[in-house]
Amino acid sequence: MERGIGFCRVNVFSTLILVLFAWVPVTKTVITCRSCHLLDKWSGRELLVRMDSGVDFGKVSDKNGDGSLALFNSAGAETGQADCSATDNCVHAHSLRKRNTDRLPSEKKLRNDKWKSMRSTGKVYNLKRSGSKGSAPGDPHHRVRRSTQGLDSPPGARLPPSLGNSTARDARRVPRSELRWNREERRSATSRQEELKLTSSTFALTGDSAHNQAMVHWSGQNSSVILMLTKLYDFNLGSVTESSLWRSTDYGTTYEKLNEKVGVKTILSYLYVSPNNKRKIMLLTDPEVESSLLISSDEGATYQKYRLNFYILSLLFHPEQEDWILAYGHDQKLYSSVEFGRRWQLVHERVAPNRFYWSKLGLDKEPGLIHLETSISETEALYVTCKLQNCTDANKGKPFPGYIDPNSLVVQDEYVFVQVSTGGRPIYYVSSRRDVFTPMKLPKYTLPKDLHVISTDENRVVAAVQEWNQNDTYNLYVSEAGGIYYTLALENVMSSMGPEGNVMIDLYEVAGIKGMFLANKKLNNEVKTHITYNKGRDWRLLQAPSADLRGNRIHCMLPYCSLHLHLHVSANPYTSGNIDSRETSPGIIVASGSVGAELTSSNVSMFITSDAGNTWRQIFDEEYSVLYLDQGGALVAIRHTPLPIRHLWLSFDEGRVWNKYSFTSSPLFVDGVLGEPGEETLIMTIFGHVSHRSEWQLVKIDFRSIFNRRCIESDYVAWDLHDQGERCLMGVKRVYRKLKPIARCVMGKTYSVTTISEPCDCTESDFECDYGFERRADGKCTPAFWFLPSSMSRTCITEHTFLNSTGYRKVVSNNCSGGVMEQYTARRQLCSSQAPRGLHLVTSEGKLTATLASNVTFLVFLEEGDGSKTSITVDFGDGNAFTYSNVSSIEDGIKHIYKNVGIYRVSATAENSLGSETVLLFLHITCQLESIHLSAPFVAVKNKEVNLTVVLSPSQVGTVTYIWWFGNNSEPVITLEGSVAFTFSREGSSVVTVQVSAGNTILQDRKTISVHEYFRSQLLAFSSNLDDHNPDVAEWRLDVSRVIKTSMVQATGVNSDQLLVTVLPGLPTAAEFFLLPDKQLTEGKPDKTATHLDQLSELVLSALNQNLVQFTLRPGVQITVYAAHLSAAPLVDTSENHSGSAMLMLLSVVVVGLAVFLIYKFKRKIPGLHIYAAMQDEKEQEMIQSPVSPTDSTPSFSSQRELLTSLEPLDTEPNTQTIECISPHPRVKFSSDLPTYIDV
């Protein structure tokens, strides 16, 4: 492991960018260098820092929940580095950038800069694991990120405290740099003539002056090997164009260039290290040139190259197995390797990014098990587990029954979290120790808008919840060991939005002191820093220092004035933030902040505490990066400045006195610092440049020369941890062994923190309020108005005893004993017999719908009652009912399959000797709607009601809603029936559109209907050979209809605008033609209209009877068109005279042989024969759904009449189109299919 920190310098005209590295254990660091690239793009996978005026370090955030970090520059540029995600032991490559050393950018320009990111944050169903994935190896505490607004913030917004001062403050201070240097010299213990110097050596990376990024890895403890990958990243192309690999075997004194060993033409982009074996190195090539990786097993001395057939976006190393790796590809595919990348195997497709996790030893059944979230749709996902080398459907597990919300799976420590949204509200589920999932129980009216998991260590969940009435603050809730029941710990904790849209909570967990947190709380629009020593049970303000840096007394009285700290820490432990503490240095906290009524971003100074927050001292009046040497035995401070530096500050007495040392003979623009792995840290390398055009300058500093000797036992002193004199914290008195302030010795690698613990008697302060109880002003916990204490006895459903809460529960990990323990601890009591009450019946997926023939799982819950003596009867509503002897027998649910579509009344009845209770559930069983067809006449009579019907396939799909649009009407008609009657009041073409909604499916069909006041219609038949070529599809009927119309126009000379032809669906092939009057000749003349239509009818029928209407279907296939009424069938018309028609039809039955002659000879004299009865029964149109075959025997008069007056020849092939449904505003795509008839 190694440690790093970065610094920044800028010139006046350029935006500068770099990456900083915290002085914490890391394995790999990336240093980046570049000049001003205002239009560059960043890939979102590289560690970068926003630098404004050279000293404002901007915002820091965990980009992916995996520890990979992005610090953004003012230009919003991005690099293209891959992630190493989702593991505490994952080793990341981070980057620094060279600084442009010409001029500082103007403040106006900086305020117009934008923050950008291409990768999303590590959200957990809006539930975040802040800093969990990116925890450093050996970093046992979790820290929550914070950030503030950038320079483009609105007036009154907080400016970025971060690692540097605000832009406005920097602009003022740069001209005063000489004054600062003079002040530092006055504080120094020696004069300039007696300047203290550190042992150092400088090495220049010759030939890499153009390279603007570097990735650095110190092999590990007790190793002298350092690897450095420098590269030229083209921000316009968004890729690496050159690279060099350097290796040192003498702690960084000299470096050897290894380009020939990896291939002179090979372009390297990323460097990874196995967290379990630092000798194993992996290098990735730039995929734009070639997709391959190089592997070394000897600390980078030799390499082997392996080809890849996919592009790696992120890596996840196994926490124990050094050769096991998961790789996430650009195509949402997850791959695995058990040979450290030498061979890869596909694990699963459609995997959500950063939602895959290794199994945890002691919790999961197999070490090679993988937890992952697979995408089903934009709104649904699945949580599955599968084996590393055998992820088949047969071997997949489904721990959560049903779908979950996308990007909501989190597997952290012994807990698993998912989210399921029901009815617009999110329901959060938790599983402890891989047990069944249970809804997280927040106080009843919390109604969360957003939820983030902050911590899961020590068998306890800390969650930040934004409630319905909050905007920029969150409430902190803490759980019991199961992670199910939550109580309020602190209200209105400040939050800020990260550059990628991720939420960062102002909460910091202090390292080395169990149960100690710092938080920034907003009250009356003022942000104040609070501290707790018992995991949120009690909070108080910080006492300000009694004097400032110059010894002047500070008049600051609680609660009106206090010390406030910026709690900005990077979730990536390799990067420094505003606050720092170490496991090896308990009680020491270094942070930037201010003194006053509230937290501000102006007048920021550096403060330190040596007694765990009881007292604070000011150590600098501007921001520095303070690093830990020798496991905290010494502190190193390097000033944030845009100027070149050659000095740093050292303190051996916990920051009371600081001495200035020079580390180089000439000033250097510092880009970053790399520390020796481990907590000892006595060797470090500073990376920098003499100018932005110069080569990398690597200054190795050996601090061992400034220490006199190794520490002995007499150099240590005992220190009692306390909170303002109270020594019993978390139930014990803790005594730590610390180095005496006057001791100047090396503690060394063998040093370990020694703690002596003495248990305390339990007091009321060791207990927090139990679930459902709230702390009142007098400190007592009483039931909330919504809570019934008797509901906690629901364990009686399956057991004979229950824990009767006292309203208190012991703080998790509190080790007190005796005292008031018995008074405040819940008591186990026997369950009393009572009637069942609070019966609940739900489906396992929480839905009121299910698919036909699928397994429906019903869950039955009973809040109160003796479950062992209470029987449960479930009636499924389909004639099936089952009775179970007790509640425990149905804990896994009751499965049932419905065989028919419908709405079922499902009931559950709980009954024992004292009473019963019944609950109902109305379940909709549906099946997928596949297609619809709108049945409508091709021609309708004006002002005559027409029946329209929708035919569904399949016919029974469940509850269906029909939405109708008629003509140009903008308001739809909504019905629950598939048929409607409608009257068209205008002549011409009218479009009818119907949408059918069934479940999540919406289908649509559309028909165009010709509306006329007068017309004639006649069925047509064809020569039998047409049936041999009829595929019975809509397109074929459309084309044949067009050909028939053309043939009829040519044979009769009728105007094509007066003729409408449609081929009817089905076999044998039949058709119908419609004759329309010439509007110019007949407008307003009903008598003339009838005569005109008679003439046209005679003309057309004559041509049909003479076989003059023919067409060629294909070469050698000639089709003849006939009139279908070869007996005595009249034409259909729209007149109202019927008396003559009745007489002739009776005569036609008696004189069959003379029927045809009489009809054609006298039809002009008997107009009523051909006139349709407008007053005819409106239901007559519906009687015939398809034409009668012309080859059938001669029909009776009535049947012939029904046939020829039918206006509903149907096209049985549906004209459908699936509609995309987006609630609450459906986005409808209308069918563009043409109707299967020839327009008028």
Side-chain angles (χ1 to χ4, degrees):
M1 300 192 304
E2 40 191 72
R3 312 175 200 180
I5 167 175
F7 300 90
C8 163
R9 56 182 174 78
V10 189
N11 39 27
V12 178
F13 291 114
S14 306
T15 302
L16 42 96
I17 300 171
L18 72 158
V19 176
L20 286 117
F21 296 91
W23 195 263
V24 294
V26 302
T27 308
K28 185 169 36 179
T29 309
V30 183
I31 301 176
T32 321
C33 160
R34 74 178 179 91
S35 300
C36 204
H37 297 274
L38 293 180
L39 298 178
D40 295 335
K41 295 182 178 180
W42 304 21
S43 75
R45 293 187 296 274
E46 184 165 12
L47 183 61
L48 301 172
V49 154
R50 171 180 175 133
M51 294 302 302
D52 297 322
S53 298
V55 285
D56 184 2
F57 284 67
K59 304 183 180 181
V60 185
S61 68
D62 179 8
K63 291 186 63 62
N64 308 309
D66 59 2
S68 58
L69 190 71
L71 303 177
F72 290 79
N73 75 329
S74 58
E78 262 188 59
T79 65
Q81 178 180 324
D83 301 326
C84 180
S85 65
T87 177
D88 289 347
N89 292 323
C90 181
V91 180
H92 301 273
H94 308 294
S95 68
L96 293 178
R97 295 180 177 273
K98 287 183 184 177
R99 253 70 50 82
N100 187 309
T101 59
D102 296 334
R103 299 198 306 180
L104 292 173
S106 67
E107 182 177 345
K108 179 178 180 181
K109 175 63 179 176
L110 290 171
R111 290 185 183 276
N112 292 328
D113 291 333
K114 302 296 182 183
W115 301 76
K116 297 181 180 179
S117 173
M118 296 177 63
R119 293 288 302 275
S120 62
T121 63
K123 285 192 175 181
V124 179
Y125 49 84
N126 280 341
L127 193 162
K128 287 190 181 175
R129 303 171 306 111
S130 302
S132 59
K133 280 190 179 182
S135 300
D139 184 13
H141 63 282
H142 299 271
R143 289 177 281 179
V144 182
R145 304 158 297 173
R146 70 168 306 283
S147 178
T148 53
Q149 298 177 356
L151 293 179
D152 52 355
S153 302
R158 293 191 297 151
L159 295 175
S162 192
L163 294 178
N165 302 325
S166 66
T167 301
R169 185 173 69 258
D170 297 333
R172 293 193 305 269
R173 290 186 175 180
V174 170
R176 297 169 51 197
S177 59
E178 183 178 355
L179 296 177
R180 288 200 303 269
W181 280 98
N182 291 336
R183 184 166 59 249
E184 291 173 358
E185 290 170 354
R186 288 196 300 269
R187 294 182 56 206
S188 175
T190 60
S191 66
R192 181 175 296 275
Q193 288 75 16
E194 300 174 343
E195 182 178 67
L196 298 174
K197 295 183 179 179
L198 296 170
T199 303
S200 64
S201 61
T202 302
F203 185 88
L205 300 184
T206 306
D208 284 357
S209 59
H211 291 191
N212 54 8
Q213 295 178 359
M215 304 176 72
V216 187
H217 161 66
W218 199 319
S219 184
Q221 289 180 293
N222 303 318
S223 174
S224 60
V225 176
I226 300 175
L227 287 175
M228 185 170 186
L229 172 63
T230 66
K231 49 189 179 178
L232 173 60
Y233 185 85
D234 191 313
F235 294 92
N236 294 318
L237 297 177
S239 62
V240 179
T241 57
E242 294 180 15
S243 67
S244 297
L245 184 63
W246 299 82
R247 185 172 185 262
S248 172
T249 57
D250 53 9
Y251 290 94
T253 303
T254 60
Y255 288 82
E256 175 190 4
K257 199 169 187 177
L258 303 181
N259 283 26
E260 293 184 356
K261 291 187 177 182
V262 298
V264 177
K265 297 183 179 180
T266 300
I267 299 178
L268 303 174
S269 55
Y270 315 121
L271 183 153
Y272 296 100
V273 184
S274 170
N276 303 301
N277 185 351
K278 303 303 186 337
R279 295 178 60 84
K280 291 189 175 182
I281 312 295
M282 180 183 295
L283 297 170
L284 289 181
T285 61
D286 188 344
E288 298 292 333
V289 180
E290 63 172 322
S291 184
S292 60
L293 54 83
L294 293 91
I295 296 175
S296 172
S297 299
D298 52 9
E299 293 186 288
T302 60
Y303 294 90
Q304 294 177 307
K305 181 180 283 190
Y306 297 87
R307 295 286 182 181
L308 291 175
N309 58 3
F310 64 98
Y311 173 32
I312 295 177
L313 290 180
S314 61
L315 294 177
L316 178 64
F317 292 91
H318 194 277
E320 286 93 24
Q321 299 291 335
E322 63 185 52
D323 292 334
W324 290 13
I325 309 174
L326 293 177
Y328 187 73
H330 66 285
D331 51 0
Q332 290 190 309
K333 294 181 179 178
L334 186 66
Y335 300 85
S336 67
S337 174
V338 294
E339 302 176 47
F340 199 71
R342 292 174 176 83
R343 281 204 260 316
W344 295 91
Q345 176 178 327
L346 177 65
V347 176
H348 207 288
E349 298 181 348
R350 296 179 61 82
V351 177
N354 299 313
R355 302 294 170 180
F356 46 91
Y357 309 85
W358 286 110
S359 57
K360 188 174 180 64
L361 188 64
L363 293 175
D364 294 289
K365 298 178 181 178
E366 300 181 34
L369 197 68
I370 305 171
H371 302 261
L372 52 90
E373 177 187 313
T374 62
S375 301
I376 303 301
S377 65
E378 292 184 358
T379 58
E380 293 179 331
L382 281 176
Y383 166 31
V384 299
T385 59
C386 60
K387 297 180 180 179
L388 174 64
Q389 295 291 305
N390 190 19
C391 190
T392 61
D393 291 337
N395 292 321
K396 287 181 186 177
K398 191 178 178 183
F400 185 83
Y403 295 115
I404 64 175
D405 289 353
N407 296 312
S408 71
L409 172 66
V410 167
V411 181
Q412 184 171 324
D413 296 326
E414 64 182 61
Y415 300 97
V416 181
F417 303 91
V418 297
Q419 171 186 320
V420 178
S421 293
T422 302
R425 283 189 182 180
I427 300 176
Y428 306 104
Y429 289 87
V430 62
S431 168
S432 176
R433 302 195 64 82
R434 307 302 188 260
D435 203 349
V436 296
F437 279 88
T438 305
M440 296 169 63
K441 298 291 186 180
L442 293 165
K444 186 173 183 179
Y445 294 107
T446 299
L447 305 179
K449 294 191 298 185
D450 193 19
L451 188 148
H452 304 260
V453 169
I454 301 299
S455 172
T456 55
D457 57 355
E458 296 186 337
N459 301 318
R460 171 194 183 106
V461 179
V462 179
V465 178
Q466 187 173 62
E467 302 188 17
W468 61 274
N469 57 350
Q470 292 179 305
N471 293 316
D472 59 350
T473 60
Y474 282 70
N475 291 347
L476 290 182
Y477 288 89
V478 294
S479 76
E480 31 65 69
I484 299 173
Y485 296 99
Y486 291 80
T487 59
L488 181 65
L490 184 65
E491 291 183 292
N492 297 318
V493 178
M494 278 301 299
S495 69
S496 58
M497 192 64 65
E500 315 82 24
N502 57 313
V503 176
M504 295 180 287
I505 312 297
D506 279 17
L507 179 71
Y508 179 78
E509 184 173 0
V510 178
I513 307 294
K514 185 177 68 173
M516 184 175 175
F517 289 85
L518 291 162
N520 284 328
K521 177 180 178 179
K522 185 177 182 181
L523 182 62
N524 298 327
N525 291 322
E526 292 183 340
V527 179
K528 300 175 182 287
T529 302
H530 292 69
I531 189 171
T532 180
Y533 294 86
N534 53 10
K535 288 196 171 184
R537 164 62 171 79
D538 301 290
W539 296 84
R540 65 170 175 84
L541 295 170
L542 298 179
Q543 179 65 59
S546 58
D548 63 13
L549 191 62
R550 298 164 185 80
N552 300 322
R553 180 175 177 80
I554 298 177
H555 299 280
C556 188
M557 182 178 296
L558 293 173
Y560 310 104
C561 175
S562 59
L563 174 64
H564 311 287
L565 304 178
H566 293 291
L567 304 181
H568 171 195
V569 298
S570 170
N572 189 323
Y574 311 149
T575 317
S576 58
N578 294 100
I579 185 169
D580 198 8
S581 59
R582 294 299 168 87
E583 290 284 343
T584 56
S585 307
I588 298 179
I589 308 172
V590 182
S592 63
S594 60
V595 174
E598 63 175 329
L599 178 68
T600 66
S601 294
S602 60
N603 299 321
V604 177
S605 301
M606 298 300 299
F607 299 90
I608 191 171
T609 177
S610 303
D611 56 4
N614 286 279
T615 60
W616 294 82
R617 301 186 306 276
Q618 183 181 6
I619 55 176
F620 297 105
D621 61 357
E622 56 185 330
E623 290 192 74
Y624 278 66
S625 286
V626 180
L627 317 173
Y628 289 71
L629 279 182
D630 187 32
Q631 308 198 57
L635 300 174
V636 178
I638 304 179
R639 186 163 57 101
H640 294 164
T641 175
L643 304 174
I645 61 174
R646 66 185 191 92
H647 295 97
L648 51 78
W649 296 83
L650 277 172
S651 175
F652 301 94
D653 57 0
E654 298 177 341
R656 293 175 175 83
V657 176
W658 293 86
N659 297 310
K660 184 169 69 174
Y661 289 78
S662 66
F663 63 87
T664 180
S665 58
S666 58
L668 189 70
F669 291 93
V670 176
D671 294 315
V673 178
L674 178 68
E676 177 188 8
E679 294 292 338
E680 184 180 14
T681 313
L682 293 175
I683 298 176
M684 72 179 187
T685 300
I686 294 180
F687 299 84
H689 297 81
V690 177
S691 70
H692 73 282
R693 294 184 177 88
S694 69
E695 298 160 332
W696 293 94
Q697 303 291 321
L698 278 62
V699 182
K700 172 190 172 184
I701 303 176
D702 192 339
F703 290 96
R704 291 176 292 186
S705 61
I706 65 174
F707 292 94
N708 300 326
R709 55 183 174 80
R710 287 277 178 177
C711 296
I712 59 177
E713 188 62 33
S714 60
D715 292 319
Y716 296 96
V717 64
W719 170 68
D720 296 331
L721 174 66
H722 64 94
D723 174 14
Q724 295 182 326
E726 176 57 53
R727 292 189 57 205
C728 285
L729 300 175
M730 296 296 291
V732 294
K733 297 178 181 178
R734 280 171 282 180
V735 180
Y736 294 88
R737 188 182 70 156
K738 297 178 63 175
L739 195 65
K740 293 179 180 179
I742 60 173
R744 187 167 175 175
C745 56
V746 176
M747 290 189 288
K749 296 181 174 65
T750 59
Y751 169 79
S752 61
V753 178
T754 303
T755 306
I756 301 174
S757 298
E758 178 184 344
C760 298
D761 291 337
C762 291
T763 64
E764 190 267 345
S765 63
D766 295 311
F767 294 82
E768 61 191 4
C769 290
D770 202 352
Y771 173 76
F773 291 81
E774 297 174 340
R775 191 175 300 278
R776 303 301 182 186
D778 59 359
K780 301 297 182 181
C781 295
T782 58
F785 75 94
W786 50 266
F787 182 67
L788 296 175
S790 60
S791 64
M792 296 303 292
S793 64
R794 64 182 58 186
T795 54
C796 289
I797 299 170
T798 56
E799 302 176 14
H800 297 288
T801 61
F802 73 100
L803 286 174
N804 187 14
S805 176
T806 62
Y808 298 86
R809 68 186 187 195
K810 193 176 179 182
V811 175
V812 175
S813 301
N814 188 295
N815 295 317
C816 72
S817 60
V820 299
M821 171 76 80
E822 184 177 353
Q823 176 184 348
Y824 284 91
T825 302
R827 302 174 183 86
R828 184 161 293 279
Q829 296 182 0
L830 290 174
C831 295
S832 59
S833 298
Q834 56 182 328
R837 192 176 70 172
L839 185 63
H840 298 275
L841 174 64
V842 297
T843 61
S844 60
E845 296 183 355
K847 298 180 179 180
L848 297 176
T849 63
T851 305
L852 183 68
S854 65
N855 247 323
V856 182
T857 302
F858 294 96
L859 302 178
V860 180
F861 302 100
L862 186 63
E863 292 185 1
E864 298 181 30
D866 188 350
S868 62
K869 299 178 180 179
T870 301
S871 64
I872 303 293
T873 300
V874 178
D875 187 336
F876 300 105
D878 61 351
N880 295 307
F882 296 94
T883 299
Y884 302 88
S885 59
N886 53 63
V887 175
S888 60
S889 61
I890 55 174
E891 285 183 349
D892 297 331
I894 306 168
K895 299 184 184 300
H896 187 68
I897 297 177
Y898 288 90
K899 299 180 180 180
N900 296 300
V901 171
I903 303 177
Y904 293 88
R905 180 182 183 273
V906 185
S907 65
T909 301
E911 185 177 7
N912 61 22
S913 59
L914 299 178
S916 64
E917 186 173 64
T918 299
V919 64
L920 298 177
L921 183 149
F922 294 94
L923 184 67
H924 294 243
I925 301 298
T926 63
C927 66
Q928 182 68 33
L929 178 62
E930 298 177 358
S931 63
I932 67 171
H933 170 68
L934 174 58
S935 170
F938 296 105
V939 180
V941 182
K942 176 184 175 182
N943 295 324
K944 176 66 177 179
E945 199 172 71
V946 177
N947 286 285
L948 307 171
T949 303
V950 179
V951 180
L952 308 182
S953 178
S955 59
Q956 297 295 325
V957 295
T959 305
V960 179
T961 303
Y962 302 85
I963 306 115
W964 306 81
W965 281 270
F966 299 98
N968 295 324
N969 293 342
S970 60
E971 293 295 329
V973 176
I974 301 175
T975 67
L976 297 178
E977 297 293 335
S979 296
V980 295
F982 188 78
T983 301
F984 296 94
S985 59
R986 295 182 180 180
E987 289 192 275
S989 295
S990 184
V991 178
V992 177
T993 302
V994 62
Q995 292 180 354
V996 180
S997 174
N1000 294 325
T1001 302
I1002 297 181
L1003 298 181
Q1004 174 181 297
D1005 197 5
R1006 176 190 296 171
K1007 287 292 187 295
T1008 300
I1009 300 175
S1010 293
V1011 181
H1012 299 279
E1013 190 171 4
Y1014 302 98
F1015 63 87
R1016 299 286 190 272
S1017 67
Q1018 172 64 50
L1019 292 179
L1020 298 175
F1022 303 91
S1023 50
S1024 59
N1025 57 344
L1026 181 60
D1027 292 345
D1028 298 334
H1029 304 279
N1030 184 357
D1032 198 22
V1033 295
E1035 293 80 4
W1036 183 89
R1037 293 190 290 271
L1038 179 64
D1039 291 335
V1040 173
S1041 298
R1042 187 180 298 108
V1043 173
I1044 296 171
K1045 176 179 177 180
T1046 302
S1047 300
M1048 294 179 69
V1049 170
Q1050 292 174 351
T1052 62
V1054 176
N1055 192 324
S1056 62
D1057 292 337
Q1058 297 176 249
L1059 184 63
L1060 176 66
V1061 179
T1062 180
V1063 176
L1064 306 177
L1067 293 173
T1069 308
E1072 186 173 9
F1073 77 84
F1074 299 85
L1075 288 173
L1076 307 176
D1078 187 339
K1079 294 296 183 182
Q1080 296 180 354
L1081 298 176
T1082 63
E1083 188 71 33
K1085 303 174 182 178
D1087 295 339
K1088 195 172 182 178
T1089 298
T1091 303
H1092 176 62
L1093 289 176
D1094 288 342
Q1095 292 172 353
L1096 292 178
S1097 299
E1098 182 178 3
L1099 179 61
V1100 174
L1101 286 175
S1102 176
L1104 290 171
N1105 291 333
Q1106 296 178 46
N1107 297 335
L1108 297 179
V1109 183
Q1110 297 182 353
F1111 63 91
T1112 302
L1113 184 66
R1114 58 189 301 178
V1117 180
Q1118 191 72 15
I1119 306 299
T1120 303
V1121 184
Y1122 309 100
H1125 66 293
L1126 295 182
S1127 57
L1131 286 169
V1132 176
D1133 55 53
T1134 56
S1135 300
E1136 298 182 359
N1137 192 343
H1138 289 275
S1139 59
S1141 175
M1143 294 292 294
L1144 274 181
M1145 292 308 292
L1146 288 173
L1147 292 174
S1148 66
V1149 176
V1150 179
V1151 191
V1152 176
L1154 298 176
V1156 175
F1157 174 78
L1158 292 175
I1159 290 295
Y1160 286 100
K1161 185 173 182 61
F1162 297 104
K1163 63 183 176 180
R1164 290 197 301 270
K1165 299 180 181 180
I1166 314 173
L1169 178 67
H1170 308 287
I1171 297 175
Y1172 177 76
M1175 301 303 294
Q1176 175 184 352
D1177 183 358
E1178 63 183 13
K1179 296 299 181 181
E1180 188 174 2
Q1181 302 175 54
E1182 299 181 275
M1183 297 180 65
I1184 301 299
Q1185 298 296 321
S1186 60
V1188 176
S1189 171
T1191 60
D1192 290 347
S1193 58
T1194 303
S1196 65
F1197 173 82
S1198 60
S1199 63
Q1200 188 79 328
R1201 178 72 176 178
E1202 293 170 358
L1203 167 65
L1204 297 178
T1205 59
S1206 170
L1207 299 181
E1208 297 189 13
L1210 301 182
D1211 186 344
T1212 56
E1213 180 167 295
N1215 175 19
T1216 63
Q1217 183 173 355
T1218 303
I1219 306 302
E1220 179 183 1
C1221 182
I1222 303 178
S1223 179
H1225 302 292
R1227 195 172 139 206
V1228 179
K1229 297 179 181 178
F1230 292 95
S1231 172
S1232 59
D1233 292 347
L1234 297 173
T1236 58
Y1237 55 86
I1238 305 302
D1239 51 62
V1240 177

